Amino acid sequence: MEHRSLILLGLLMGQSQHGYQINEFIERNLSTVTNMKKPTAYATLDKLNQKGFIDIQLEQEGNRPTRKVYSINESGRNYFYKLLLDNLSSAESVNYQGDIGLMFIDFLPMEKAIPALKERLKKNEKLIELFKQTPTHGNRTGVNLAVEHKITMLEAEVAFLEKTIKRLLHLD
């Protein structure tokens, strides 16, 4: 839950928002760093409120239904800074689902395994191009760093796949 709390508190650091705004921003702009769905976001916001990290105000506009507006409070800011520092200083072991296939590649004939790896290589190269098209965020260095990190990790995957394909071709 900590990474979800970090995202939601981080979004509230900029301004108070209602749930729809938060979820739309996550869906449009943060799909590269989280797969958080709306129900999870709302449940996490409720937990953050219960723990005293955010405040909720009800807002009524015209004939629209009442909606909740979420605001970070001082306790939430302190918790956000703690989560942020923990996150920035952490090292993580990434589990790539593609590594499962690599573990069992010996059960496939190379004439089937190599084309599959070449397809994976192409998909990663397309992802790199997609991320490179991400517009830079002028005053938000952190967003630029997150995109750069994704590109760097994908480039490492591409280099690994190229090396692996060459190695496997020489085994034939």
Side-chain angles (χ1 to χ4, degrees):
M1 181 180 124
E2 286 189 344
H3 71 280
R4 293 177 183 139
S5 296
L6 179 59
I7 290 169
L8 295 170
L9 291 171
L11 292 175
L12 294 174
M13 287 292 286
Q15 67 182 22
S16 298
Q17 300 179 57
H18 56 80
Y20 180 80
Q21 286 174 300
I22 293 169
N23 282 303
E24 283 300 303
F25 186 86
I26 291 170
E27 211 170 275
R28 257 192 342 269
N29 302 299
L30 301 181
S31 61
T32 59
V33 293
T34 185
N35 60 355
M36 185 174 6
K37 304 291 182 223
K38 288 180 186 182
T40 304
Y42 283 115
T44 305
L45 286 165
D46 286 340
K47 287 178 186 169
L48 289 167
N49 175 252
Q50 291 167 6
K51 292 180 178 182
F53 298 130
I54 61 173
D55 300 321
I56 299 175
Q57 285 194 310
L58 298 178
E59 186 180 88
Q60 177 73 42
E61 277 187 24
N63 292 334
R64 291 183 164 182
T66 304
R67 62 184 180 184
K68 294 178 180 179
V69 177
Y70 302 91
S71 303
I72 192 167
N73 56 35
E74 190 60 33
S75 178
R77 279 187 204 50
N78 292 333
Y79 185 54
F80 168 76
Y81 291 127
K82 178 203 175 303
L83 292 176
L84 181 57
L85 289 170
D86 288 349
N87 182 279
L88 286 172
S89 63
S90 70
E92 52 189 297
S93 175
V94 180
N95 294 320
Y96 293 103
Q97 292 181 7
D99 286 349
I100 298 167
L102 293 173
M103 289 174 52
F104 300 113
I105 199 167
D106 297 319
F107 292 110
L108 272 179
M110 283 302 127
E111 64 268 10
K112 290 189 178 192
I114 291 172
L117 291 175
K118 286 181 178 179
E119 180 64 24
R120 178 171 162 179
L121 176 63
K122 278 190 225 170
K123 289 177 181 177
N124 277 285
E125 289 170 335
K126 284 181 183 177
L127 282 173
I128 290 170
E129 289 310 309
L130 182 69
F131 281 115
K132 284 184 175 180
Q133 293 173 18
T134 304
T136 57
H137 291 71
N139 61 348
R140 296 294 304 268
T141 304
V143 176
N144 297 333
L145 289 173
V147 172
E148 183 182 335
H149 184 244
K150 287 284 190 188
I151 291 169
T152 302
M153 299 308 290
L154 286 165
E155 288 172 339
E157 171 78 358
V158 163
F160 169 78
L161 288 168
E162 290 172 340
K163 184 173 87 174
T164 300
I165 291 166
K166 284 180 186 173
R167 181 186 305 163
L168 294 175
L169 285 170
H170 287 97
L171 292 178
D172 285 347

